[in-house]
Amino acid sequence: EAGVAQSPRYKIIEKRQSVAFWCNPISGHATLYWYQQILGQGPKLLIQFQNNGVVDDSQLPKDRFSAERLKGVDSTLKIQPAKLEDSAVYLCASSRDPGNYGYTFGSGTRLTVV
Amino acid sequence: DQQVKQNSPSLSVQEGRISILNCDYTNSMFDYFLWYKKYPAEGPTFLISISSIKDKNEDGRFTVFLNKSAKHLSLHIVPSQPGDSAVYFCAASSKFGSQGNLIFGKGTKLSVKP
């Protein structure tokens, strides 16, 4: 079974610029998550999708972050404009259903905002 | 306010000995707990979980113990191997919250010395 694919692996941008991350979940996994992991912290949920609908985006800073999951498969997470405090690893994860907590994470995208 | 706390940032253990990683939580609504393992430049990998209706779950060298009255869980690794060297995250969830949303601790870096 192929894992969760994320790109790019690394991104460096200047503050106020925009950036987008892409995620391709495991085939057949209906639930997709985006987590933000700041250095020295545990991952924090940004948004959860069930198929192409949003289940939970309560911790997503909606003034600058947006996410979509087209056709219930791939997903993109965008930041516009970026701030210094957005520097983090952005992790995508997927699972077959929302009750399955042992979900699979991708390797993440490390974002550095300078 | 951290709902899941891992108070030891690091732990060093000799190969063959027992590793004990600890985790405390504050939210009494949590009913499912997991441990994830993370190697550098990779996403977290699910290791083992336990439901609040149990006090112990075992999988090979890994055992998780849950003490609900103390709001404390621990992960035991016996015997420890150098390949176990990684960051271990404790995570918790509640069926009364958004399904699938995991609250992570800050992690404990385990070093197993040959």
Side-chain angles (χ1 to χ4, degrees):
Chain A
E1 173 177 83
V4 175
Q6 288 190 248
S7 67
R9 287 300 308 273
Y10 305 93
K11 190 74 177 178
I12 301 174
I13 62 172
E14 295 182 352
K15 60 183 179 183
R16 291 187 290 274
Q17 285 188 324
S18 63
V19 65
F21 314 126
W22 174 82
C23 172
N24 182 237
I26 292 173
S27 177
H29 281 197
T31 310
L32 185 146
Y33 311 83
W34 283 101
Y35 278 80
Q36 178 193 57
Q37 186 179 9
I38 293 172
L39 186 65
Q41 306 285 324
K44 184 186 83 170
L45 180 72
L46 291 175
I47 189 167
Q48 176 187 349
F49 291 95
Q50 178 68 16
N51 295 310
N52 60 353
V54 175
V55 174
D56 183 357
D57 64 357
S58 58
Q59 298 188 89
L60 186 74
K62 298 181 187 64
D63 58 335
R64 297 183 301 106
F65 286 65
S66 64
E68 60 182 4
R69 189 180 184 195
L70 300 175
K71 300 179 182 178
V73 181
D74 292 8
S75 177
T76 56
L77 176 68
K78 297 179 181 177
I79 308 175
Q80 182 179 13
K83 292 185 175 181
L84 295 176
E85 59 260 37
D86 298 331
S87 294
V89 175
Y90 291 85
L91 294 160
C92 179
S94 70
S95 67
R96 289 195 180 280
D97 53 68
N100 183 345
Y101 297 106
Y103 38 77
T104 304
F105 281 91
S107 297
T109 296
R110 179 175 294 278
L111 173 68
T112 302
V113 182
V114 298
Chain B
D1 177 36
Q2 267 208 294
Q3 298 186 67
V4 177
K5 300 177 184 179
Q6 293 177 258
N7 293 318
S8 297
S10 63
L11 175 68
S12 184
V13 171
Q14 205 68 31
E15 180 179 7
R17 306 294 292 269
I18 184 171
S19 294
I20 300 177
L21 296 97
N22 294 303
C23 178
D24 297 295
Y25 61 96
T26 58
N27 189 339
S28 58
M29 299 298 286
F30 287 148
D31 56 8
Y32 200 76
F33 305 90
L34 304 92
W35 286 93
Y36 278 80
K37 174 180 179 180
K38 185 181 183 304
Y39 292 117
E42 293 184 13
T45 303
F46 169 70
L47 191 58
I48 192 170
S49 63
I50 188 167
S51 165
S52 60
I53 62 173
K54 296 185 175 181
D55 55 18
K56 176 183 174 181
N57 189 26
E58 193 171 352
D59 184 2
R61 297 186 296 114
F62 303 91
T63 303
V64 56
F65 295 91
L66 175 62
N67 182 333
K68 289 188 292 294
S69 61
K71 294 192 178 69
H72 177 84
L73 64 155
S74 60
L75 174 68
H76 292 210
I77 306 174
V78 184
S80 301
Q81 299 173 355
D84 296 329
S85 297
V87 177
Y88 289 79
F89 290 99
C90 172
S93 188
S94 165
K95 67 165 68 77
F96 294 102
S98 178
Q99 277 194 315
N101 181 359
L102 291 176
I103 309 298
F104 284 85
K106 291 186 177 183
T108 296
K109 184 176 182 180
L110 174 65
S111 298
V112 180
K113 301 189 183 304

